[in-house]
Amino acid sequence: MTKISIHRDQSAGTISRYIYGHFAEHLGHCIYGGIFVGKDSRIPNENGIRTDVVEAMKKIHVPVLRWPGGCFADEYHWRDGIGPQEKRRNMVNTNWGGVTEDNSFGTHEFMELCRQAGCEPYITGNVGSGTAQEMSEWVEYLNSDGDSTVVRERRENGRQDSWGVRFWGVGNESWGCGGIMRPEYYADVYRRYQNFCRQYGDHKLYKIACGPNGGDTNWTDVVMKNAAFCMDGLSMHYYTVPGTWENKNRATEFTEADYWETLAGAAEMDNKVKMHAEIMDKYDPDKRIGLIVDEWGTWFQVEPGTNPGFLYQQNTMRDAMVASVTLDIFNRHCDRVKMANIAQTVNVLQAIILTKDEKMVLTPTYYVFDLYQHHMDAKELACSIETETLGTEKHSLPGVTASASEKDGILTVTLSNLNPEKGEEVLISLQEDASGAEGRILQGKMDAYNDFDNAPLKTETFSDFELRGKDLCVRMPACSVAEIRLRLA
Ligand code: AHR
């Protein structure tokens, strides 16, 4: 049996809703086909944007969407993606599959997507191959209502008022595809670029500097030391890649040992957050600067027969577990982690949505975001968990993981039983009287997945629990993620 105590008097603070953020890059069929099909498509759309995908995003209340990359961002010139469609410049997407990018999805289309989906935009500027002027004018194009050539241009392109984009990334992976820079050099480049990203009117910017690759603490240290004073966020990228980079796991065919290796890889996020948070604490003891984990998730082999540059992979209950383990870590560290963006929204890596022409399917990962949405903007409550360690000799982790939060008198508890074979009884000490418990659950075999013709996995009503005074006793099936909501006395 697992025992959990929820400590209502211990909290890391409010769980930022942006922890439940997403990321859409010009990569494979994420944007083209997955999100944007064009106005003339037979696939139902509004202004070229797939209605089914937008509806799915709305149901989980996607709070923020990062765009246009990724590596693509540092080759993207925003002026190529505005104005009449037929005049837009074509380029080759050298990072992702060498396909022609016709720029039919650009700034206006992205802002329209955010409007339809009801989420905030997070735009990454081109630092690697662009100029400070180019980025500065992109901010002006989106945020200014002044009288200037740039603003007049926006108006000629059909948008009268500024949109007011708050989140701006200054380059992506500047240590790698964004320019192979050294942290000393990047810190200076960051200082210069961010300086020309101006505030127009009330549109205050939240400026995010490129942060480390996984465990690169030197990058964090140097960039924080030299540029903390002019940043609001520092990004961090960490992917779960079981196997070796050259010989990664398949997404759907894997062993139980692979399963544990994957989940242990996801749990490593805790160490990554802690090691960078410790350095950030040195330069920013008041935690003004957010750690922004703007790329995370599983990275497997591409599905056989698909373009290797498109990073298309299926998504099983193993991915769902990676999502719940990771979101629990972000919730626990909500004093420092202020945003996270799973990679990527549609058809790429750990996608929440897969599409094939007019068909769309929601993945197990999607349903974890569905189950966790009540944690957004709620007060985190510390949980101590006594549970068995599971896994293999090489890769082990606690068999049950959880998050608890409180908002408007409602306690939300999310629980995951990682055991792929056995159910687990979980006794939760609420330390408070509660009533009216309601539950939902996602469960399935570790390698179960939803396909276009057969999608058995989804969130369902769950009632295999009972309140016993101040305790809640839950019987979690094997390989499951559940949400239980209770009214506090
Ligand atoms: O998400 C895929 C790629 O992974 C992104 O473009 C890049 O930033 C990272 O290396």
Side-chain angles (χ1 to χ4, degrees), residues 47-60:
N47 294 325
I49 296 164
R50 287 183 77 125
T51 309
D52 52 359
V53 168
V54 166
E55 284 309 310
M57 290 172 75
K58 276 161 65 177
K59 280 194 186 123
I60 56 168

PDB file of all heavy atoms in Angstrom, residues 47-60:
ATOM      1  N   ASN A  47     -10.568  30.301 -41.157  1.00  0.00           N
ATOM      2  CA  ASN A  47      -9.398  31.046 -41.641  1.00  0.00           C
ATOM      3  C   ASN A  47      -8.174  30.148 -41.834  1.00  0.00           C
ATOM      4  O   ASN A  47      -7.057  30.530 -41.500  1.00  0.00           O
ATOM      5  CB  ASN A  47      -9.071  32.192 -40.680  1.00  0.00           C
ATOM      6  CG  ASN A  47     -10.164  33.232 -40.660  1.00  0.00           C
ATOM      7  OD1 ASN A  47     -10.789  33.503 -41.688  1.00  0.00           O
ATOM      8  ND2 ASN A  47     -10.441  33.792 -39.499  1.00  0.00           N
ATOM      9  N   GLY A  48      -8.418  28.944 -42.298  1.00  0.00           N
ATOM     10  CA  GLY A  48      -7.316  28.031 -42.625  1.00  0.00           C
ATOM     11  C   GLY A  48      -6.856  27.158 -41.478  1.00  0.00           C
ATOM     12  O   GLY A  48      -6.023  26.264 -41.663  1.00  0.00           O
ATOM     13  N   ILE A  49      -7.395  27.389 -40.281  1.00  0.00           N
ATOM     14  CA  ILE A  49      -6.932  26.655 -39.093  1.00  0.00           C
ATOM     15  C   ILE A  49      -7.936  25.556 -38.754  1.00  0.00           C
ATOM     16  O   ILE A  49      -9.143  25.827 -38.641  1.00  0.00           O
ATOM     17  CB  ILE A  49      -6.735  27.630 -37.913  1.00  0.00           C
ATOM     18  CG1 ILE A  49      -5.612  28.621 -38.290  1.00  0.00           C
ATOM     19  CG2 ILE A  49      -6.391  26.884 -36.634  1.00  0.00           C
ATOM     20  CD1 ILE A  49      -5.548  29.837 -37.428  1.00  0.00           C
ATOM     21  N   ARG A  50      -7.436  24.342 -38.582  1.00  0.00           N
ATOM     22  CA  ARG A  50      -8.312  23.179 -38.364  1.00  0.00           C
ATOM     23  C   ARG A  50      -9.219  23.382 -37.157  1.00  0.00           C
ATOM     24  O   ARG A  50      -8.740  23.624 -36.031  1.00  0.00           O
ATOM     25  CB  ARG A  50      -7.474  21.923 -38.084  1.00  0.00           C
ATOM     26  CG  ARG A  50      -6.766  21.344 -39.263  1.00  0.00           C
ATOM     27  CD  ARG A  50      -6.052  20.078 -38.849  1.00  0.00           C
ATOM     28  NE  ARG A  50      -6.984  18.968 -38.726  1.00  0.00           N
ATOM     29  CZ  ARG A  50      -6.864  17.806 -39.356  1.00  0.00           C
ATOM     30  NH1 ARG A  50      -5.829  17.594 -40.154  1.00  0.00           N
ATOM     31  NH2 ARG A  50      -7.731  16.842 -39.186  1.00  0.00           N
ATOM     32  N   THR A  51     -10.501  23.201 -37.361  1.00  0.00           N
ATOM     33  CA  THR A  51     -11.474  23.384 -36.290  1.00  0.00           C
ATOM     34  C   THR A  51     -11.357  22.276 -35.247  1.00  0.00           C
ATOM     35  O   THR A  51     -11.467  22.532 -34.039  1.00  0.00           O
ATOM     36  CB  THR A  51     -12.895  23.373 -36.901  1.00  0.00           C
ATOM     37  OG1 THR A  51     -12.890  24.297 -37.988  1.00  0.00           O
ATOM     38  CG2 THR A  51     -13.944  23.767 -35.911  1.00  0.00           C
ATOM     39  N   ASP A  52     -11.118  21.020 -35.690  1.00  0.00           N
ATOM     40  CA  ASP A  52     -11.036  19.907 -34.726  1.00  0.00           C
ATOM     41  C   ASP A  52      -9.868  20.095 -33.762  1.00  0.00           C
ATOM     42  O   ASP A  52      -9.981  19.874 -32.550  1.00  0.00           O
ATOM     43  CB  ASP A  52     -10.972  18.546 -35.443  1.00  0.00           C
ATOM     44  CG  ASP A  52      -9.896  18.451 -36.524  1.00  0.00           C
ATOM     45  OD1 ASP A  52      -9.185  19.453 -36.752  1.00  0.00           O
ATOM     46  OD2 ASP A  52      -9.748  17.371 -37.128  1.00  0.00           O
ATOM     47  N   VAL A  53      -8.742  20.555 -34.296  1.00  0.00           N
ATOM     48  CA  VAL A  53      -7.551  20.745 -33.461  1.00  0.00           C
ATOM     49  C   VAL A  53      -7.766  21.890 -32.464  1.00  0.00           C
ATOM     50  O   VAL A  53      -7.448  21.780 -31.277  1.00  0.00           O
ATOM     51  CB  VAL A  53      -6.302  20.978 -34.359  1.00  0.00           C
ATOM     52  CG1 VAL A  53      -5.116  21.474 -33.556  1.00  0.00           C
ATOM     53  CG2 VAL A  53      -5.950  19.678 -35.099  1.00  0.00           C
ATOM     54  N   VAL A  54      -8.362  22.975 -32.956  1.00  0.00           N
ATOM     55  CA  VAL A  54      -8.636  24.116 -32.066  1.00  0.00           C
ATOM     56  C   VAL A  54      -9.591  23.696 -30.947  1.00  0.00           C
ATOM     57  O   VAL A  54      -9.384  24.026 -29.772  1.00  0.00           O
ATOM     58  CB  VAL A  54      -9.202  25.306 -32.875  1.00  0.00           C
ATOM     59  CG1 VAL A  54      -9.802  26.366 -31.955  1.00  0.00           C
ATOM     60  CG2 VAL A  54      -8.104  25.924 -33.726  1.00  0.00           C
ATOM     61  N   GLU A  55     -10.624  22.936 -31.312  1.00  0.00           N
ATOM     62  CA  GLU A  55     -11.587  22.492 -30.288  1.00  0.00           C
ATOM     63  C   GLU A  55     -10.890  21.652 -29.226  1.00  0.00           C
ATOM     64  O   GLU A  55     -11.156  21.784 -28.026  1.00  0.00           O
ATOM     65  CB  GLU A  55     -12.735  21.690 -30.937  1.00  0.00           C
ATOM     66  CG  GLU A  55     -13.745  22.556 -31.667  1.00  0.00           C
ATOM     67  CD  GLU A  55     -14.260  23.716 -30.823  1.00  0.00           C
ATOM     68  OE1 GLU A  55     -14.669  23.488 -29.674  1.00  0.00           O
ATOM     69  OE2 GLU A  55     -14.228  24.875 -31.311  1.00  0.00           O
ATOM     70  N   ALA A  56      -9.998  20.766 -29.665  1.00  0.00           N
ATOM     71  CA  ALA A  56      -9.259  19.915 -28.712  1.00  0.00           C
ATOM     72  C   ALA A  56      -8.376  20.772 -27.807  1.00  0.00           C
ATOM     73  O   ALA A  56      -8.288  20.534 -26.595  1.00  0.00           O
ATOM     74  CB  ALA A  56      -8.423  18.893 -29.477  1.00  0.00           C
ATOM     75  N   MET A  57      -7.743  21.776 -28.369  1.00  0.00           N
ATOM     76  CA  MET A  57      -6.881  22.660 -27.558  1.00  0.00           C
ATOM     77  C   MET A  57      -7.715  23.413 -26.526  1.00  0.00           C
ATOM     78  O   MET A  57      -7.301  23.605 -25.377  1.00  0.00           O
ATOM     79  CB  MET A  57      -6.134  23.652 -28.460  1.00  0.00           C
ATOM     80  CG  MET A  57      -5.052  23.003 -29.315  1.00  0.00           C
ATOM     81  SD  MET A  57      -4.354  24.142 -30.537  1.00  0.00           S
ATOM     82  CE  MET A  57      -3.319  25.186 -29.514  1.00  0.00           C
ATOM     83  N   LYS A  58      -8.903  23.841 -26.957  1.00  0.00           N
ATOM     84  CA  LYS A  58      -9.761  24.603 -26.038  1.00  0.00           C
ATOM     85  C   LYS A  58     -10.216  23.757 -24.849  1.00  0.00           C
ATOM     86  O   LYS A  58     -10.322  24.252 -23.725  1.00  0.00           O
ATOM     87  CB  LYS A  58     -10.979  25.140 -26.791  1.00  0.00           C
ATOM     88  CG  LYS A  58     -10.656  26.450 -27.490  1.00  0.00           C
ATOM     89  CD  LYS A  58     -11.587  26.822 -28.584  1.00  0.00           C
ATOM     90  CE  LYS A  58     -12.996  27.103 -28.164  1.00  0.00           C
ATOM     91  NZ  LYS A  58     -13.787  27.544 -29.361  1.00  0.00           N
ATOM     92  N   LYS A  59     -10.469  22.473 -25.111  1.00  0.00           N
ATOM     93  CA  LYS A  59     -10.986  21.613 -24.028  1.00  0.00           C
ATOM     94  C   LYS A  59      -9.992  21.452 -22.894  1.00  0.00           C
ATOM     95  O   LYS A  59     -10.378  21.246 -21.747  1.00  0.00           O
ATOM     96  CB  LYS A  59     -11.361  20.245 -24.587  1.00  0.00           C
ATOM     97  CG  LYS A  59     -12.707  20.266 -25.267  1.00  0.00           C
ATOM     98  CD  LYS A  59     -13.246  18.869 -25.519  1.00  0.00           C
ATOM     99  CE  LYS A  59     -14.517  18.978 -26.336  1.00  0.00           C
ATOM    100  NZ  LYS A  59     -14.499  18.253 -27.583  1.00  0.00           N
ATOM    101  N   ILE A  60      -8.697  21.518 -23.215  1.00  0.00           N
ATOM    102  CA  ILE A  60      -7.714  21.381 -22.114  1.00  0.00           C
ATOM    103  C   ILE A  60      -7.174  22.758 -21.697  1.00  0.00           C
ATOM    104  O   ILE A  60      -6.227  22.859 -20.926  1.00  0.00           O
ATOM    105  CB  ILE A  60      -6.564  20.408 -22.467  1.00  0.00           C
ATOM    106  CG1 ILE A  60      -5.854  20.819 -23.757  1.00  0.00           C
ATOM    107  CG2 ILE A  60      -7.077  18.971 -22.544  1.00  0.00           C
ATOM    108  CD1 ILE A  60      -4.544  20.077 -23.987  1.00  0.00           C
TER     109      ILE A  60
END
